[in-house]
Amino acid sequence: MQNRLPLTLDPIKTAQRKLDYVGYYPAQSATRVERLKSDIECSLSFYFDEQKLCVISVDAEVTLEQICQRCFKPFITHIKVKNKFSPVKNDAQAEALPDYYEPVFINELGEVDILALVEDEIILSLPIAPVHDSKHCEVSEADLVFGEIPVENEKPNPFAILASLKNKE
Ligand SMILES: [Zn+2]
């Protein structure tokens, strides 16, 4: 049986105790991610690195439904995210962090909203225009080629208009 994970944690205290968590966030508590089809399974590690920076290592996976932007039918995607964060109190601390950590702000209680952090990672990992594998998509390849013509090319070509005017004469 998997454990339900805490929504918020004090990363400094948790890192001092070198705690790791493996468990899940129930789908119904992850309200910012749309169309979840599973709980969010998640592993969290808290530690201090060689530079004494507090690190929150996050691995999460979830199944969700997306709407294909080609045929507008839903399809199921499995999303995996993995990232390392370091808690900060202000922008100056955030800017001082090495590139390999993402800053995460701690609140006035010294805690990080871990569920929000995981939800943000999932949302950021989603494609802006999700589409089916072409073999599963109900819009054929021929339609697809037509559909991918950039918007600028859809403006009528002025020479084509002239040509059609000439043809009418
Ligand atoms: Zn499709």
Side-chain angles (χ1 to χ4, degrees), residues 141-156:
E141 288 293 334
D143 292 337
L144 177 62
V145 171
F146 180 74
E148 280 184 352
I149 292 172
V151 178
E152 303 94 277
N153 289 358
E154 284 173 6
K155 281 185 208 147

Side-chain angles (χ1 to χ4, degrees), residues 42-114:
C42 198
S43 318
L44 306 167
S45 299
F46 295 78
Y47 57 92
F48 291 99
D49 71 4
E50 314 82 69
Q51 299 180 67
K52 308 275 183 268
L53 285 169
C54 179
V55 182
I56 309 169
S57 170
V58 176
D59 266 90
E61 49 188 291
V62 73
T63 302
L64 49 81
E65 187 181 70
Q66 290 188 286
I67 304 298
C68 173
Q69 295 306 297
R70 216 145 62 192
C71 68
F72 302 105
K73 295 272 174 3
F75 67 106
I76 298 294
T77 326
H78 193 72
I79 301 282
K80 284 188 188 185
V81 294
K82 188 181 176 71
N83 213 342
K84 286 189 164 73
F85 300 87
S86 190
V88 296
K89 287 180 185 156
N90 52 49
D91 289 338
Q93 285 185 355
E95 277 166 34
L97 277 185
D99 290 348
Y100 41 87
Y101 298 136
E102 294 287 333
V104 59
F105 285 88
I106 52 178
N107 66 18
E108 59 284 2
L109 301 171
E111 293 185 328
V112 168
D113 186 334
I114 305 286

